[in-house]
Amino acid sequence: MRHDHLITSKQLSRANIETILDYAAELDADPSAVSDRHAGTVLGLLFFEPSTRTKMSFETAMKRLGGDVVDMGSVESSSVTKGETLADTVRVIEGYADALVLRHPKQGSATMASEFVDVPLVNAGDGAGHHPTQTMLDLYTIRENAGLDDLTIGIMGDLKYGRTVHSLAYALTNFDTRQHFISPESLQLPREVVYDLHQQQDGTGIREHESLEDVLPSLDVLYVTRIQRERFPDENEYQKVAGEYQIDAATLEAASDDLTVMHPLPRVDEIAPEIDETDHAAYFEQAHNGVPVRMALLDLLLSDDGDAGLTGGDGDE
Ligand code: CP
């Protein structure tokens, strides 16, 4: 039986996205409606990099659907330390689980791993590549707070290594959006991503900036990201940009009263805690939305016919 893999948001059409978000909203309203739907189903968690939100919300989602999880645990406690390849690891764990969730530091690892398994494999972050399930909960949160059409969004911080940014930017080209990318020059979006975005969306919808100041008043959503120290090949390069692009209450005085501030989390110092109690802050709600969104995705991926219709696009990144 052929199964879908979810590797990149490029696979997802507007219709796919709306199906998932609508279903997630149903489950959010009444999670008990599906509490036995996947009794006996086992989800395999393979996290080769740290995670709090993604791993725990996948586990919660599977359990709320009546299933259970098996967890490879930390790399240090697994046979990866004996030299086992990723291809062998996923081939073994597909024998223990009905679907796999993989996070790995290497870009392209999820695509490679998916070629070795017949059960659905979900990319939970591949290095600086993609993080499509984060994108689905981001879109869910944007839709709840600001709507997905006629949207002006600022995406700020580490745009070069930020997999949540890459996945979100591609997905937003399915909607009527204006995307402003705000970063230091050294952390701009990869040029191939900018090229793709221009191809997929009228180029007028994509703008790059080094300063938030000019665009802030026009934004409906500001999506802030962490400067990811662990992705810099050179610590000196990290130190040059560490601490830039932080926001606090004074920054937001120039923003619309309706501005929604989002962050995939974890944050370090990009958003001052004083913003947490304002109506702008949506980042904890965003993290909580990971459960209904991942419930919807898992239910669709584990559907009886094995084809959730998520493989129509360019899923080979
Ligand atoms: N947003 C996100 O991917 O968080 P974790 O690294 O904690 O999973």
Side-chain angles (χ1 to χ4, degrees), residues 47 49-57 103 124-125 131 133-134 137-138 163-164 223 226 230-231 263-266 286-287 294:
F47 279 71
E49 269 191 342
S51 170
T52 299
R53 280 146 288 275
T54 310
K55 187 171 173 179
M56 294 187 73
S57 61
R103 171 170 291 187
H131 193 350
T133 67
Q134 175 71 41
L137 69 95
D138 292 343
R163 58 195 176 201
T164 67
Y223 188 97
R226 179 174 64 93
E230 67 274 24
R231 306 244 179 259
H263 191 306
L265 303 180
Q286 183 183 352
R294 290 182 170 118

Side-chain angles (χ1 to χ4, degrees), residues 154-155 159 179-185 188 206-215 245:
I155 304 181
L159 311 183
Q179 300 193 57
H180 294 279
F181 296 99
I182 306 132
S183 71
E185 192 177 355
Q188 282 181 335
I206 309 292
R207 288 277 183 277
E208 294 181 278
H209 313 264
E210 286 191 41
S211 163
L212 175 63
E213 197 178 342
D214 290 343
V215 293
Y245 299 92

